[in-house]
Amino acid sequence: MRSEQEFIDGLYARVDALRGRTEDSVADALAQGDTPRQARLERDILVAERSGLLAALNAVDGSLCFGRVDLADGTVHHIGRIGLRTEDAERTPVLIDWRADVARPFYLATGHTPMGLRRRRHIATDGRLVTALHDEILDLGDAERTGHEDPTGDAVLLAALNSARTGRMGDIVQTIQADQDRIIRAPHRGVLVVEGGPGTGKTAVALHRAAYLLYEHRELLAKRAVLIVGPNPAFLGYIGEVLPALGETGVLLATVGELFPGVRATAADSPEAAAVKGRADMADVLAAVVRDRQALPDPVIAIEHDRDVLMLDDGLVNVARQRTRATGLPHNEAREHFEGHILNTLTDMVAERIGTDPYDGSNLLDPSDITQIRDDLAENPEVWSAIDRLWPRITPRRLVADFLAAPEDHLDAGDAAAVRRRVTREWTVSDVPLLDEAAELLGEDDRLARALADRERETQIAYAQGVLDVSYASRTYEFEDKEDSDPEGSEVLSAHDVIDAERFAERHEEEDLRSAAERAAADRTWAFGHIIVDEAQELSPMAWRLLMRRSPTRSMTLVGDPAQTAEAAGVGSWSGILEPFVRDRWEHTRLGVNYRTPAEIMDLAAAVVRAQDPAFEPPSSVRSTGVVPWVRRTDDLRAAVADAVAELAPRDGRLAVVAPRDLHRGLAARLDGVTAGAEPDLTRPVVLLDPRQSKGLEFDAVLVVEPARYGTSDLYVALTRATQRLGVLHTGTLPAGMTDQG
């Protein structure tokens, strides 16, 4: 172990020196203070780059190097989470980034296909101390032995699978399997679907794919950012440390309920309401709601103008409405056209009344008179009051809130009853795609914002001109005051000679120093470079419309399992999700090995599903623990749960109690340190979840309570969260496929 320890010690000495220089360079850059625009921009870039490097070094500290490959030609490469080179002219690689092509044999080589390798070594560390080496001999003709040979090559994988959970997902960079590696490194253009049952590592694969794409397409994705969509906030917290541990921080993690700027979904819908709101035809419903706001007079609108009354009837307004709709513009953007049509109509009325020759019917007004009439009308508040009634400015929140308060005009009685609610401040996850759809239909009338921006720009230019004038006057005074000044005029340039006020103002505009992910979070129209969706089968058609708007290039990785579809609005099939947007232009791959769930637990979970679907085939478990899950009936549920938690709780790991939401308060009262009704802290030894909250998570032990109250998909999810031990408690009947045991 000494040679590897010497390498690790030297590697960290190099990293510590690099970290020190990085910290100094950032401090020096920040100490420069206010500088001209170009220098300030260069400083900001330096800070970003150096800070990013510093973040990467800090994130991977303690587990920087994890592998080594010995090639047949005698070359040795060490593999790690980031790449490092010498600082001399040769820039020789010292540590190979796991995403580099030269690192692929570490994951793919076998004795049958050694890919030029003689030996593969896994290096286990505790901080900076090497604790174990595991060697795989790939060239069977090589007689050299180190004493660290691993005959099966599975020791590192099994150690990772059996390790205690922490409440946060760890990366799998040391144990990526060949089928996972092929998905991680797949081309990033187009839509890739990764299907896999519980425990197949599809979430980890998706996250490592994000890290790989950011490495392989750094320039593009650093500008456009990567979006990772998860099913709930607890899940995002669970996976939140994976990418930083791989040296990547430029990613936006969000739920669907967080993808409309300024809105964070905190309220809950009934399953019936979520199903109605998620249907694809809600796009047509909202379009009809918008059209209904483009009103006609009933029967006329009277406008007092210049001691006269102008009558707008439904026929005249309908002409203006049809011509405005024909532009194809969103409602708020089209309003400018509607205003023009109404003003023209009213102008024609006035012109006809005051400018018609009573003898021959000719018009006596010239174009300037017509323009004056139109300008006068444009200053009449009653005209704008009428326009506001006929074609009002509408915000997405106002439109959706009004629709939900009175949906019966656009939905049948049953659907209307399901979704009817008065929105005050709280929105649901199912509301967010409706808000996004409304924003598309409405657009934004930005005339006022543009006018304010123009006014601000004029102010800045005027200020810049004043600065230049003062500079010029000061320079002129300086030369006039000097006795030895050049009598034929100085050749010294002033600011006036090299820059005008407009360019001078541009140089002092504030740069947007937010990261791409931060800017994307605040911009509903942002186009991401790549989108990864976890539990993709659960999203509604309306949610998919929202996501597809954020990926105009359709560069996406979707991971999920149709067998685990539980949301009433979920599509549940890949063709149903994708055909409306990409037809058949998508690729499908499947992960079939269960690394999380022991065979004994998987047998119980599969039996429950097979009771409903005899043809169901679960993923095959890679290991067996010999510990059979137990199922028990009780008459005192709260006491039995407390006893079961004491029985199942691992010494160092995590235990989840999965129970129907209405039981949480009573169960929490009997469990020390467990709270109900709050977002769960997954790092605590015991957490209380409902089945939907447990999606995508894993624990050392799981206690499932009242399984007969779950749907088959929810129960399948709950039963497959454990890596070691599973218990089931019930007070009544059991679902088909499950019997009391243990």
Side-chain angles (χ1 to χ4, degrees):
M1 246 184 267
R2 182 171 301 168
S3 63
E4 292 297 358
Q5 187 63 62
E6 290 173 350
F7 174 80
I8 296 292
D9 289 342
L11 185 66
Y12 278 105
R14 184 182 301 274
V15 166
D16 288 340
L18 180 60
R19 181 183 287 114
R21 287 194 298 276
T22 299
E23 290 172 339
D24 290 343
S25 65
V26 172
D28 290 343
L30 292 174
Q32 292 177 16
D34 193 16
T35 58
R37 184 173 184 269
Q38 184 61 34
R40 188 167 69 250
L41 183 59
E42 292 173 356
R43 180 204 69 191
D44 295 335
I45 292 172
L46 173 64
V47 171
E49 289 178 346
R50 296 296 191 181
S51 299
L53 174 60
L54 193 59
L57 292 174
N58 290 334
V60 301
D61 193 14
S63 55
L64 188 57
C65 177
F66 56 80
R68 189 179 102 178
V69 290
D70 296 11
L71 279 63
D73 63 5
T75 304
V76 173
H77 294 309
H78 283 85
I79 313 298
R81 283 174 165 76
I82 61 174
L84 292 173
R85 294 176 177 269
T86 61
E87 297 181 354
D88 53 24
E90 285 75 18
R91 300 283 292 161
T92 305
V94 177
L95 186 66
I96 304 297
D97 193 299
W98 67 275
R99 297 165 286 191
D101 285 342
V102 72
R104 286 205 81 180
F106 181 78
Y107 299 108
L108 299 181
T110 65
H112 180 69
T113 309
M115 301 179 69
L117 300 191
R118 181 174 62 88
R119 176 188 304 270
R120 171 170 48 214
R121 167 169 287 181
H122 292 269
I123 304 171
T125 59
D126 182 5
R128 302 186 179 196
L129 178 66
V130 177
T131 58
L133 302 176
H134 301 274
D135 287 351
E136 295 176 65
I137 307 300
L138 299 174
D139 179 0
L140 301 182
D142 185 357
E144 179 186 351
R145 294 295 180 268
T146 64
H148 303 295
E149 281 73 26
D150 176 7
T152 65
D154 292 333
V156 175
L157 175 62
L158 291 175
L161 298 179
N162 288 315
S163 63
R165 269 42 191 173
T166 64
R168 292 288 182 263
M169 176 182 276
D171 66 70
I172 60 168
V173 67
Q174 294 173 262
T175 59
I176 294 171
Q177 303 300 293
D179 57 341
Q180 297 172 331
D181 183 83
R182 282 188 284 271
I183 294 170
I184 289 169
R185 298 174 190 263
H188 88 291
R189 293 295 182 186
V191 178
L192 175 65
V193 172
V194 183
E195 183 178 331
T200 54
K202 55 188 179 294
T203 297
V205 166
L207 293 172
H208 287 68
R209 176 163 168 74
Y212 171 76
L213 293 176
L214 285 163
Y215 171 85
E216 190 72 8
H217 307 281
R218 178 74 62 189
E219 184 175 354
L220 169 65
L221 296 184
K223 293 178 181 177
R224 302 310 311 164
V226 172
L227 170 65
I228 297 179
V229 181
N232 54 61
F235 175 84
L236 295 180
Y238 175 65
I239 67 172
E241 296 178 4
V242 174
L243 287 169
L246 298 173
E248 298 295 348
T249 56
V251 175
L252 176 63
L253 277 68
T255 65
V256 170
E258 297 168 327
L259 288 178
F260 191 86
V263 169
R264 185 180 180 89
T266 56
D269 266 323
S270 68
E272 296 78 13
V276 173
K277 292 179 184 179
R279 292 192 319 230
D281 63 3
M282 285 302 299
D284 296 329
V285 169
L286 289 177
V289 173
V290 172
R291 287 195 299 272
D292 283 354
R293 300 296 290 271
Q294 299 163 1
L296 296 176
D298 183 21
V300 296
I301 294 178
I303 299 173
E304 291 188 15
H305 180 72
D306 197 19
R307 292 175 295 181
D308 199 356
V309 177
L310 306 175
M311 307 296 287
L312 274 176
D313 61 33
D314 57 355
L316 292 172
V317 173
N318 191 45
V319 171
R321 183 172 72 171
Q322 294 305 320
R323 289 176 178 174
T324 303
R325 287 176 175 176
T327 65
L329 293 172
H331 173 88
N332 288 332
E333 295 177 34
R335 176 181 158 117
E336 183 175 5
H337 292 268
F338 184 79
E339 293 170 359
H341 290 306
I342 294 299
L343 284 170
N344 289 341
T345 298
L346 294 173
T347 299
D348 290 343
M349 285 185 189
V350 175
E352 183 177 356
R353 292 185 184 183
I354 68 174
T356 302
D357 189 311
Y359 299 103
D360 60 12
S362 62
N363 196 304
L364 303 176
L365 302 177
D366 61 29
S368 63
D369 295 325
I370 301 297
T371 300
Q372 184 61 52
I373 293 171
R374 196 179 193 280
D375 291 344
D376 290 343
L377 285 164
E379 294 180 0
N380 186 337
E382 290 196 21
V383 172
W384 293 107
S385 176
I387 290 174
D388 286 339
R389 289 168 57 188
L390 299 170
W391 199 286
R393 292 185 180 91
I394 316 172
T395 66
R397 298 189 201 194
R398 183 73 271 156
L399 184 82
V400 174
D402 289 348
F403 162 67
L404 294 176
E408 51 276 357
D409 291 340
H410 298 90
L411 298 175
D412 64 35
D415 290 345
V419 303
R420 185 183 295 109
R421 120 176 180 273
R422 187 166 297 281
V423 178
T424 53
R425 295 182 180 178
E426 292 189 330
W427 298 92
T428 70
V429 172
S430 301
D431 291 334
V432 168
L434 302 186
L435 290 168
D436 198 71
E437 189 73 30
E440 284 291 304
L441 293 166
L442 294 173
E444 184 176 356
D445 185 351
D446 63 349
R447 284 177 289 169
L448 177 59
R450 283 189 280 115
L452 292 174
D454 290 343
R455 187 179 303 171
E456 176 64 21
R457 174 109 180 117
E458 290 172 1
T459 301
Q460 292 174 348
I461 292 173
Y463 175 78
Q465 185 64 57
V467 171
L468 291 175
D469 291 344
V470 170
S471 172
Y472 178 74
S474 174
R475 196 68 174 162
T476 302
Y477 175 80
E478 177 184 348
F479 280 97
E480 288 177 349
D481 193 49
K482 287 185 178 180
E483 295 180 357
D484 58 348
S485 60
D486 185 353
E488 296 184 1
S490 171
E491 295 184 1
V492 178
L493 295 176
S494 72
H496 262 289
D497 298 311
V498 296
I499 193 170
D500 60 23
E502 186 170 355
R503 290 177 60 200
F504 187 59
E506 287 177 358
R507 289 193 173 189
H508 289 80
E509 290 178 359
E510 289 295 325
E511 298 93 23
D512 189 344
L513 301 180
R514 295 175 298 170
S515 69
E518 290 170 331
R519 284 182 283 124
D523 184 354
R524 191 193 68 81
T525 64
W526 189 273
F528 288 92
H530 193 78
I531 296 179
I532 292 174
V533 185
D534 205 312
E535 302 293 352
Q537 76 282 348
E538 300 288 7
L539 269 60
S540 70
M542 289 300 292
W544 282 112
R545 288 176 64 88
L546 178 154
L547 287 179
M548 290 297 175
R549 291 187 192 105
R550 284 147 177 79
S551 180
T553 62
R554 302 296 191 259
S555 178
M556 309 178 84
T557 301
L558 314 181
V559 298
D561 179 13
Q564 298 182 60
T565 304
E567 295 291 343
V571 177
S573 76
W574 302 121
S575 59
I577 290 170
L578 294 170
E579 283 181 1
F581 305 102
V582 298
R583 298 184 182 178
D584 60 350
R585 298 189 300 275
W586 52 281
E587 296 183 30
H588 178 273
T589 187
R590 183 174 178 82
L591 294 168
V593 178
N594 187 335
Y595 297 99
R596 175 205 303 142
T597 316
E600 295 83 357
I601 296 176
M602 202 64 213
D603 289 343
L604 175 62
V608 170
V609 180
R610 286 199 184 105
Q612 305 295 325
D613 179 9
F616 173 72
E617 285 297 329
S620 57
S621 295
V622 77
R623 65 195 174 103
S624 174
T625 61
V627 180
V628 178
W630 51 258
V631 181
R632 299 173 187 164
R633 188 182 185 283
T634 180
D635 293 324
D636 187 347
L637 188 63
R638 296 182 184 181
V641 167
D643 292 342
V645 166
E647 175 186 347
L648 290 170
R651 178 174 298 178
D652 298 319
R654 301 292 181 269
L655 180 146
V657 178
V658 183
R661 180 62 66 94
D662 62 294
L663 299 180
H664 282 198
R665 188 174 299 278
L667 296 179
R670 298 292 295 268
L671 300 174
D672 292 338
V674 176
T675 57
E679 208 55 61
D681 179 359
L682 300 177
T683 64
R684 298 188 67 82
V686 180
V687 295
L688 184 60
L689 307 170
D690 64 38
R692 305 286 172 89
Q693 288 178 310
S694 72
K695 263 188 177 298
L697 308 181
E698 62 181 24
F699 304 88
D700 299 88
V702 172
L703 176 65
V704 176
V705 179
E706 297 289 27
R709 293 184 55 185
Y710 307 166
T712 301
S713 295
D714 281 340
L715 182 55
Y716 181 52
V717 169
L719 293 173
T720 54
R721 300 302 97 194
T723 66
Q724 301 294 335
R725 303 178 69 192
L726 172 68
V728 180
L729 285 173
H730 67 103
T731 58
T733 59
L734 284 170
M738 186 181 290
T739 58
D740 285 340
Q741 56 189 51

